[in-house]
Amino acid sequence: MDAAVAAPRSGVQDSAFLRACRREPVPHTPVWFMRQAGRSLPEYRKVREGTAMLESCMRPDLVTEITLQPVRRHGVDAAIYFSDIVVPLKAIGVDLDIKPGVGPVVERPIRTWADLERLRPLEPADVWYVTEAMGQLTGELGATPLIGFAGAPFTLASYLVEGGPSRNHEHTKALMYGAPELWAALLDRLADITSAFLRVQIEAGAAAVQLFDSWVGALAPADYERSVLPASAKVFESVAEYGVPRIHFGVGTGELLPLLGRAGADVVGADWRVPLDEAARRVGPGKAIQGNLDPAVLFAPRSAVERQADRVLESAAALEGHVFNLGHGVLPDTDPEALTRLVSHVHERTAR
Ligand code: CP3
């Protein structure tokens, strides 16, 4: 026998989720949901009672429990680590908070060279609680893979420059167009912080990582290519050596998919606006695709949810690898039972 042939994989490495990310045959199409932890679950609200969001992210026992809740309840094929994209920024001392129902708010926005100095490099000890919680989690999850994540440089920059959530990203774009050198320096610093944060997670046991560039769809392709892609590509390159699948996700990215395909991820997420076969064509060969049921569909009756899920599966039939997900995160008022039923439906429909 050829000594170079790897031993059969078992456990996490042989999971349907990781197999699909690697574009290998799967026993069924794997399913997980962005924002599955927290949001719609009553058991989440119960354990979170009286604890602020950012404080919750720094308590390993709470993080472990919240991360496990959707795995227990829905039987999803992967867990996503409970945290938030702004946690590494908080960890290096940025004066930000997460306001309930609003999102991340930054006291003093970052808009000048002097402001940039407030973004120091992230050290693993700054996020000791992530290492601790991931250690607990990988023990508890058995063969279910744990997905680590971080915010992409553009989406983090948007919160930092705007000072909070933004519809039009006007201050962010003003900086990008008006002070390109400062913008490039800001994105480069954020790329390093994000890379360090992902490395901590992979070393603590994350079996895959997702880069959330939620608001990048606000950009035209030429601006994305020139002003953002280099920073996201740096993040993917910085974790390449670990060999864990890297997922790249944004909303409203139909026109950006060919460029996302070039940024370096192994799996590219698509929102519901582009059918998955077309998304795969735009992304190019050699990538798995993740998505893309419209999260609002879950508010329709069961038969309609199943019909729309089947449409997603049909559009994914010829893909090299497909990870079933929503086209964006679970909406807060979603009925958890609808999510559980959807997981079973996708598993049954795709059982091989
Ligand atoms: O996916 C998961 O379930 C893991 C946990 C997770 C959270 N935020 C927990 C959270 C993840 C992956 C995120 C990512 C995140 N955070 C993104 C990218 C994903 C996306 O949806 O596009 C963004 C843009 C943020 C920033 C953020 N944090 C917003 C806009 C909000 C407020 C809106 C809201 O959902 O209420 C948060 C707060 C937040 N992050 C909550 C949770 C569970 C709600 C806080 C609470 O329960 O008090």
Side-chain angles (χ1 to χ4, degrees):
M1 205 176 122
D2 186 347
V5 173
R9 294 195 185 96
S10 62
V12 169
Q13 286 306 319
D14 202 35
S15 62
F17 170 72
L18 288 183
R19 292 183 68 89
C21 291
R22 294 190 303 252
R23 295 171 287 120
E24 295 167 2
V26 286
H28 60 261
T29 298
V31 190
W32 71 280
F33 303 118
M34 293 182 277
R35 312 299 296 273
Q36 68 188 16
R39 287 264 165 130
S40 70
L41 298 186
E43 59 268 37
Y44 165 71
R45 293 197 198 103
K46 186 144 180 280
V47 298
R48 271 285 318 280
E49 229 165 74
T51 311
M53 176 64 193
L54 281 172
E55 194 192 328
S56 309
C57 297
M58 295 170 195
R59 287 181 36 190
D61 289 351
L62 207 47
V63 168
T64 300
E65 168 58 22
I66 296 170
T67 301
L68 292 171
Q69 284 175 348
V71 179
R72 285 189 204 117
R73 188 193 257 263
H74 306 306
V76 281
D77 293 275
I80 180 151
Y81 182 78
F82 178 78
S83 183
D84 192 82
I85 58 168
V86 296
V87 162
L89 302 177
K90 182 75 179 175
I92 59 164
V94 175
D95 48 355
L96 64 82
D97 198 6
I98 295 181
K99 300 244 154 79
V102 178
V105 176
V106 181
E107 187 101 8
R108 289 178 299 149
I110 299 225
R111 295 180 187 168
T112 66
W113 284 102
D115 293 336
L116 205 57
E117 295 314 309
R118 287 159 36 214
L119 296 179
R120 68 159 172 86
L122 179 85
E123 305 291 340
D126 296 323
V127 286
W128 62 270
Y129 40 86
V130 174
T131 302
E132 195 171 314
M134 284 207 162
Q136 292 180 11
L137 273 166
T138 47
E140 301 240 358
L141 278 164
T144 304
L146 176 62
I147 303 171
F149 74 91
F154 176 80
T155 291
L156 292 178
S158 170
Y159 285 108
L160 289 172
V161 176
E162 301 294 335
S166 166
R167 180 181 294 266
N168 298 315
H169 309 281
E170 51 268 60
H171 297 289
T172 311
K173 289 183 178 180
L175 192 73
M176 186 178 90
Y177 293 117
E181 285 176 10
L182 171 56
W183 172 259
L186 169 61
L187 259 70
D188 193 62
R189 248 175 221 232
L190 291 171
D192 290 343
I193 291 165
T194 292
S195 298
F197 191 49
L198 290 179
R199 284 198 299 271
V200 166
Q201 296 178 59
I202 297 167
E203 291 194 1
V209 288
Q210 176 157 325
L211 194 66
F212 280 95
D213 210 349
S214 302
W215 313 139
V216 79
L219 294 176
D223 292 324
Y224 177 78
E225 185 173 19
R226 181 174 50 239
S227 306
V228 174
L229 191 149
S232 290
K234 186 180 191 190
V235 174
F236 286 123
E237 182 54 37
S238 78
V239 294
E241 67 192 283
Y242 293 102
V244 304
R246 299 157 296 171
I247 312 171
H248 198 174
F249 171 77
V251 183
T253 54
E255 300 302 321
L256 300 179
L257 287 172
L259 293 167
L260 296 191
R262 271 173 39 199
D266 307 290
V267 183
V268 176
D271 78 9
W272 60 92
R273 295 170 180 91
V274 184
L276 292 182
D277 45 0
E278 174 60 15
R281 197 191 62 75
R282 293 185 191 184
V283 164
K287 311 268 178 198
I289 302 289
Q290 177 171 281
N292 69 344
L293 186 73
D294 183 341
V297 164
L298 286 156
F299 290 75
R302 177 181 190 162
S303 58
V305 175
E306 295 184 349
R307 202 157 54 236
Q308 297 306 316
D310 289 345
R311 284 184 55 193
V312 170
L313 292 172
E314 281 157 26
S315 75
L319 299 187
E320 295 181 54
H322 178 215
V323 176
F324 190 100
N325 206 314
L326 304 179
H328 196 186
V330 174
L331 295 166
D333 295 328
T334 306
D335 175 5
E337 311 255 322
L339 291 169
T340 307
R341 285 196 302 262
L342 177 56
V343 174
S344 306
H345 180 77
V346 173
H347 285 170
E348 283 162 20
R349 268 306 146 97
T350 59
R352 296 189 248 277

Coordinates of all heavy atoms in Angstrom, one line a residue, residues 32-39 44 48 53 80-86 98-104 149 155 159 212 214-215 249 251 328-329 332, ligand 1:
W32 N -26.0 24.3 8.6 CA -25.9 25.1 9.8 C -26.5 26.5 9.5 O -26.8 26.8 8.3 CB -24.5 25.2 10.4 CG -23.5 26.0 9.6 CD1 -22.9 25.7 8.4 CD2 -23.1 27.4 9.9 NE1 -22.1 26.7 8.0 CE2 -22.2 27.8 8.9 CE3 -23.4 28.3 10.9 CZ2 -21.6 29.0 8.8 CZ3 -22.8 29.5 10.9 CH2 -21.9 29.9 9.8
F33 N -26.8 27.3 10.5 CA -27.4 28.6 10.2 C -26.5 29.7 10.8 O -26.1 29.7 12.0 CB -28.8 28.7 10.9 CG -29.7 27.6 10.4 CD1 -30.2 26.7 11.3 CD2 -30.1 27.6 9.1 CE1 -31.1 25.7 10.9 CE2 -31.0 26.6 8.6 CZ -31.5 25.7 9.6
M34 N -26.2 30.7 10.0 CA -25.6 31.9 10.5 C -26.5 32.5 11.6 O -27.7 32.5 11.4 CB -25.3 32.9 9.4 CG -24.3 32.4 8.4 SD -23.9 33.6 7.1 CE -25.3 33.3 6.0
R35 N -26.0 32.9 12.7 CA -26.7 33.5 13.8 C -27.6 32.4 14.5 O -28.7 32.8 15.0 CB -27.5 34.7 13.4 CG -26.6 35.7 12.6 CD -25.4 36.3 13.4 NE -25.8 37.0 14.6 CZ -26.1 38.3 14.6 NH1 -26.0 39.0 13.5 NH2 -26.3 39.0 15.7
Q36 N -27.2 31.1 14.4 CA -28.0 30.1 15.0 C -27.9 30.2 16.5 O -28.8 29.7 17.3 CB -27.6 28.7 14.5 CG -26.2 28.2 15.0 CD -25.8 26.9 14.3 OE1 -26.3 26.5 13.3 NE2 -24.8 26.3 14.9
A37 N -26.8 30.7 17.0 CA -26.6 30.8 18.5 C -27.2 32.1 18.9 O -26.8 33.2 18.4 CB -25.1 30.7 18.8
G38 N -28.0 32.1 19.9 CA -28.7 33.3 20.3 C -29.9 33.6 19.4 O -30.4 32.7 18.8
R39 N -30.3 34.8 19.4 CA -31.4 35.2 18.5 C -32.7 34.5 18.9 O -33.3 34.9 19.9 CB -31.1 34.9 17.1 CG -30.0 35.9 16.5 CD -30.8 37.0 15.8 NE -30.0 38.1 15.5 CZ -29.9 38.7 14.4 NH1 -30.5 38.2 13.3 NH2 -29.1 39.8 14.2
Y44 N -31.8 30.5 25.0 CA -30.7 31.5 25.0 C -31.1 32.7 25.8 O -30.3 33.2 26.6 CB -30.5 31.9 23.5 CG -29.7 33.2 23.4 CD1 -28.4 33.3 23.6 CD2 -30.3 34.4 22.9 CE1 -27.6 34.5 23.5 CE2 -29.6 35.6 22.8 CZ -28.3 35.6 23.1 OH -27.6 36.8 23.0
R48 N -29.1 34.3 29.1 CA -28.5 35.6 28.9 C -29.1 36.6 29.8 O -28.5 37.7 30.0 CB -28.7 36.1 27.5 CG -27.7 35.7 26.4 CD -26.4 36.6 26.5 NE -26.7 38.0 26.8 CZ -27.0 38.9 25.9 NH1 -27.1 38.5 24.6 NH2 -27.3 40.1 26.2
M53 N -24.4 41.7 26.4 CA -23.9 40.9 25.3 C -22.3 40.7 25.4 O -21.8 39.6 25.3 CB -24.3 41.5 24.0 CG -23.7 40.9 22.7 SD -24.3 39.2 22.5 CE -23.2 38.6 21.3
I80 N -21.5 27.1 15.6 CA -20.7 28.4 15.4 C -20.5 28.9 16.8 O -21.4 29.0 17.6 CB -21.3 29.4 14.5 CG1 -20.4 30.6 14.4 CG2 -22.8 29.8 14.9 CD1 -20.5 31.4 13.1
Y81 N -19.2 29.3 17.0 CA -18.8 29.8 18.3 C -19.6 31.1 18.7 O -19.7 32.0 17.8 CB -17.3 30.2 18.2 CG -16.7 30.7 19.5 CD1 -16.4 29.8 20.5 CD2 -16.5 32.0 19.7 CE1 -15.9 30.2 21.7 CE2 -15.9 32.5 20.9 CZ -15.6 31.6 21.9 OH -15.1 32.1 23.1
F82 N -20.1 31.2 19.9 CA -20.9 32.3 20.3 C -20.0 33.5 20.7 O -19.2 33.3 21.6 CB -21.8 32.0 21.5 CG -22.6 33.2 21.9 CD1 -23.7 33.6 21.2 CD2 -22.2 33.9 23.0 CE1 -24.4 34.8 21.6 CE2 -22.9 35.1 23.4 CZ -24.0 35.5 22.7
S83 N -20.0 34.5 19.9 CA -19.2 35.7 20.2 C -19.8 36.8 19.3 O -21.0 36.8 19.0 CB -17.8 35.4 19.7 OG -16.9 36.5 20.0
D84 N -19.0 37.8 19.0 CA -19.4 38.9 18.0 C -18.2 39.4 17.3 O -17.1 39.3 17.8 CB -20.1 40.0 18.8 CG -20.9 40.9 17.8 OD1 -22.0 40.6 17.4 OD2 -20.3 41.9 17.3
I85 N -18.5 40.0 16.1 CA -17.4 40.4 15.3 C -16.6 41.6 16.0 O -15.4 41.8 15.6 CB -17.8 40.9 13.9 CG1 -18.9 42.0 14.0 CG2 -18.3 39.7 13.1 CD1 -19.1 42.7 12.6
V86 N -17.2 42.3 16.9 CA -16.4 43.4 17.6 C -15.7 42.9 18.8 O -14.9 43.7 19.4 CB -17.4 44.6 17.9 CG1 -18.0 45.2 16.6 CG2 -18.5 44.2 18.9
I98 N -22.1 46.9 22.7 CA -23.2 46.4 21.8 C -24.5 46.8 22.5 O -24.8 46.3 23.6 CB -23.1 44.9 21.6 CG1 -21.8 44.5 20.8 CG2 -24.3 44.4 20.9 CD1 -21.6 43.0 20.5
K99 N -25.3 47.6 21.8 CA -26.5 48.1 22.4 C -27.7 47.2 21.9 O -27.8 46.9 20.7 CB -26.8 49.6 21.9 CG -25.7 50.5 22.4 CD -26.3 51.6 23.3 CE -25.3 52.2 24.3 NZ -24.4 53.2 23.7
P100 N -28.5 46.7 22.8 CA -29.5 45.7 22.5 C -30.4 46.3 21.4 O -30.9 47.5 21.5 CB -30.3 45.5 23.8 CG -29.4 45.9 24.9 CD -28.5 47.0 24.3
G101 N -30.7 45.5 20.3 CA -31.6 46.0 19.3 C -30.9 47.0 18.3 O -31.6 47.3 17.3
V102 N -29.7 47.4 18.6 CA -29.1 48.4 17.7 C -27.9 47.8 17.1 O -27.7 47.7 15.9 CB -28.6 49.7 18.6 CG1 -27.9 50.6 17.7 CG2 -29.8 50.3 19.2
G103 N -26.9 47.3 17.9 CA -25.7 46.7 17.4 C -24.5 47.4 18.0 O -24.6 48.2 19.0
P104 N -23.3 47.2 17.4 CA -22.1 47.8 18.0 C -22.1 49.3 17.9 O -22.4 49.8 16.8 CB -21.0 47.2 17.1 CG -21.6 46.0 16.5 CD -23.1 46.3 16.3
F149 N -15.0 32.4 13.9 CA -15.3 33.5 12.9 C -14.7 34.8 13.3 O -14.2 35.0 14.5 CB -16.8 33.6 12.7 CG -17.5 34.3 13.9 CD1 -17.6 35.7 13.9 CD2 -18.0 33.6 15.0 CE1 -18.3 36.3 15.0 CE2 -18.6 34.2 16.0 CZ -18.8 35.6 16.0
T155 N -16.1 45.4 7.0 CA -17.2 45.5 7.9 C -16.8 46.0 9.3 O -17.5 46.8 9.8 CB -17.9 44.1 7.9 OG1 -18.5 43.9 6.7 CG2 -19.0 44.0 9.0
Y159 N -18.0 49.9 11.2 CA -18.5 50.2 12.5 C -17.5 51.2 13.2 O -18.0 52.1 13.9 CB -18.6 48.9 13.4 CG -19.8 48.1 13.1 CD1 -19.7 46.9 12.4 CD2 -21.1 48.5 13.4 CE1 -20.8 46.1 12.1 CE2 -22.2 47.8 13.1 CZ -22.0 46.6 12.4 OH -23.2 45.8 12.1
F212 N -16.9 37.2 8.1 CA -18.1 37.8 7.9 C -17.8 39.2 7.3 O -17.3 40.1 8.0 CB -18.9 38.0 9.2 CG -19.7 36.8 9.6 CD1 -19.2 36.0 10.6 CD2 -21.0 36.6 9.1 CE1 -19.9 34.9 11.0 CE2 -21.7 35.5 9.6 CZ -21.2 34.6 10.5
S214 N -20.2 41.3 6.1 CA -21.7 41.5 6.0 C -22.0 42.7 5.1 O -23.0 42.6 4.3 CB -22.3 41.7 7.3 OG -22.0 40.5 8.1
W215 N -21.3 43.8 5.2 CA -21.7 45.0 4.5 C -21.0 45.4 3.3 O -21.1 46.4 2.7 CB -21.7 46.2 5.5 CG -22.3 45.9 6.9 CD1 -21.8 46.3 8.1 CD2 -23.5 45.2 7.1 NE1 -22.7 45.8 9.1 CE2 -23.7 45.1 8.5 CE3 -24.5 44.5 6.3 CZ2 -24.8 44.5 9.1 CZ3 -25.5 43.9 6.9 CH2 -25.7 43.8 8.3
F249 N -18.1 35.3 3.6 CA -19.5 35.6 3.4 C -19.8 37.1 3.4 O -19.2 37.8 4.2 CB -20.3 35.0 4.6 CG -21.8 35.4 4.6 CD1 -22.7 34.9 3.7 CD2 -22.2 36.4 5.5 CE1 -24.0 35.4 3.7 CE2 -23.5 36.9 5.5 CZ -24.4 36.4 4.6
V251 N -23.3 40.0 2.3 CA -24.7 40.2 1.8 C -24.7 41.1 0.6 O -23.9 42.1 0.6 CB -25.5 40.8 2.9 CG1 -27.0 40.9 2.5 CG2 -25.4 39.9 4.2
H328 N -28.6 34.9 4.9 CA -28.0 35.8 5.9 C -28.5 35.2 7.2 O -29.0 34.1 7.3 CB -28.6 37.3 5.7 CG -27.8 38.3 6.5 ND1 -28.1 39.6 6.5 CD2 -26.6 38.2 7.2 CE1 -27.3 40.3 7.3 NE2 -26.3 39.4 7.7
G329 N -28.2 35.9 8.3 CA -28.5 35.3 9.6 C -29.9 35.1 10.0 O -30.8 35.7 9.4
P332 N -34.4 37.5 14.3 CA -34.7 37.3 15.7 C -36.1 36.7 16.1 O -36.2 35.9 17.0 CB -34.6 38.7 16.3 CG -33.8 39.5 15.4 CD -34.0 38.9 14.0
Ligands
CP3_1 O1 -23.8 33.1 14.4 C1 -24.0 33.0 15.6 O2 -25.0 32.6 16.2 C2 -22.8 33.3 16.5 C3 -22.9 34.5 17.2 C4 -22.8 35.8 16.4 C5 -23.3 37.0 16.9 N1 -22.9 38.0 16.1 C6 -24.0 37.1 18.2 C7 -24.8 38.3 18.5 C8 -22.2 36.1 15.2 C9 -21.5 35.2 14.1 C10 -22.3 37.5 15.0 C11 -21.7 38.2 13.8 C12 -22.0 39.6 13.6 N2 -22.2 40.6 14.5 C13 -22.2 40.2 12.3 C14 -22.0 39.4 11.0 C15 -23.1 38.5 10.8 C16 -24.3 39.2 10.1 O3 -25.4 39.0 10.6 O4 -24.1 39.9 9.1 C17 -22.4 41.5 12.5 C18 -22.7 42.5 11.4 C19 -22.4 41.8 13.9 C20 -22.7 43.1 14.5 C21 -23.8 43.0 15.4 N3 -23.8 42.5 16.7 C22 -25.1 43.5 15.2 C23 -25.6 44.2 13.9 C24 -25.9 43.3 16.4 C25 -27.2 43.8 16.7 C26 -28.3 43.3 16.0 C27 -29.0 42.1 16.7 O5 -28.9 41.0 16.2 O6 -29.6 42.4 17.8 C28 -25.0 42.5 17.3 C29 -25.4 42.0 18.6 C30 -25.4 40.5 18.7 N4 -24.4 39.7 18.2 C31 -26.4 39.7 19.3 C32 -26.0 38.4 19.2 C33 -26.7 37.1 19.7 C34 -27.7 40.2 19.9 C35 -27.3 40.8 21.3 C36 -28.3 40.4 22.3 O7 -28.8 39.3 22.3 O8 -28.4 41.3 23.3

